């Protein structure tokens, strides 16, 4: 079918490190030279959530206690909800893991993202992916390099549509976000090459530029990339709320006490708060945009 290039919305794309830094620098320069009213278009777009949700406090139930967040300073983080982890033919599926655990989180996450967009919250996707030459995989003998090589990083596979792809390699089918959670034009997509979304990425700089303090966290897997990102966020004084039905963990899922349950307990005890999507969505909806 021929595409209508005039009406088709532009595809979101991954921001390179240079582009993120350029955006931050341009915004800062515009604020210094001409004041807040003369920001470039990209900066105005990025600051829209704060304008829509200005001074709107969102209260909802969580563990270990109810929490109140400022919608103007809140972003939603989607961790690694990509084909390699949640789609048949991806890394986890090929390795024999039960990906239904990840797929179960897709529906609630999609509902959260829809509500967040209506409320004007910024949405940031993190994706686990390496350069094609594996130059960012780690030094010889390092745990990150060894574990991912054992998992098959870089291996050539066939995507479901028959095209050639590679496991955990940037800009391939394997590292695409699952179709149900496809990023929208105004969303930000950031690649990472370690479990934490903060390690050697511009996530922290971007959040600070946007004035974000509160992070609503979704994604996979609970005890690896999600927990690693929440720990690093806590070390940087962000307030994290993990939505437990929007995350999943395939490793240790059959244990008497699963890795997923252990991470939820640790997070609510030491690193942040744990809540559920329905309570957050209800509270967000109650704070309608003026």
């Amino acid at each position: 079918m021929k595409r209508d290039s005039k009406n088709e919305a532009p595809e979101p794309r991954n921001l390179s490190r240079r582009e993120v830094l350029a955006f931050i620098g341009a915004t800062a320069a515009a604020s210094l030279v001409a004041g807040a009213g003369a920001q470039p278009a990209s900066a105005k777009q990025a600051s829209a959530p704060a304008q829509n949700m200005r001074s709107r406090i969102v209260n909802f139930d969580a563990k270990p206690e109810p929490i109140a967040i400022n919608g103007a300073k809140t972003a939603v983080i989607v961790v690694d909800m990509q084909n390699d982890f949640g789609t048949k033919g991806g890394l986890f599926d090929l390795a024999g893991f039960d990906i239904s655990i990840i797929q179960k989180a897709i529906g609630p996450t999609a509902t959260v993202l829809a509500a967040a967009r209506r409320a004007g919250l910024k949405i940031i996707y993190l994706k686990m992916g390496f350069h094609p030459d594996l130059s960012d995989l780690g030094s010889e003998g390092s745990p990150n390099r060894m574990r991912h090589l054992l998992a098959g990083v870089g291996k050539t596979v066939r995507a479901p549509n028959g095209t050639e792809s590679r496991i955990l390699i940037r800009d391939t089918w394997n590292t695409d976000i699952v179709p149900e959670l496809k990023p929208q034009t105004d969303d930000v997509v950031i690649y990472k090459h370690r479990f934490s979304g903060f390690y050697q990425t511009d996530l922290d700089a971007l959040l600070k530029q946007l004035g974000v303090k509160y992070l609503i966290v979704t994604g996979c897997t609970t005890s690896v990339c999600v927990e690693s990102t929440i720990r690093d966020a806590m070390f940087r004084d962000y307030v994290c709320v993990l939505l437990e039905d929007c995350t999943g963990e395939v490793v240790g899922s059959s244990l008497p006490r699963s890795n997923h349950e252990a991470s939820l307990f640790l997070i609510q005890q030491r690193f942040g708060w744990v809540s559920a999507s329905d309570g957050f969505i209800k509270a967000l909806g109650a704070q309608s945009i003026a």
Side-chain angles (χ1 to χ4, degrees), residues 160-205:
N161 65 1
T163 60
E164 187 176 279
S165 188
R166 294 178 68 194
I167 291 176
L168 288 178
I169 297 299
R170 294 183 177 210
D171 304 322
T172 66
W173 172 85
N174 288 72
T175 52
D176 283 345
I177 298 296
V178 297
E180 299 90 338
L181 304 178
K182 183 178 179 180
Q184 303 299 304
T185 305
D186 293 337
D187 301 336
V188 176
V189 181
I190 298 177
Y191 270 114
K192 61 186 181 67
H193 56 88
R194 293 298 188 274
F195 297 144
S196 169
F198 287 92
Y199 181 78
Q200 293 186 354
T201 74
D202 295 305
L203 177 59
D204 188 38

Side-chain angles (χ1 to χ4, degrees), residues 11 193 230 278:
E11 287 286 333
H193 56 88
I230 288 175
D278 55 353

Side-chain angles (χ1 to χ4, degrees), residues 39-61:
Q39 291 179 323
S42 58
K44 290 179 181 179
Q45 184 182 61
S47 62
Q51 295 169 358
N52 289 340
M53 291 289 291
R54 189 179 301 280
S55 300
R56 293 194 176 275
I57 304 303
V58 180
N59 298 274
F60 54 101
D61 193 30

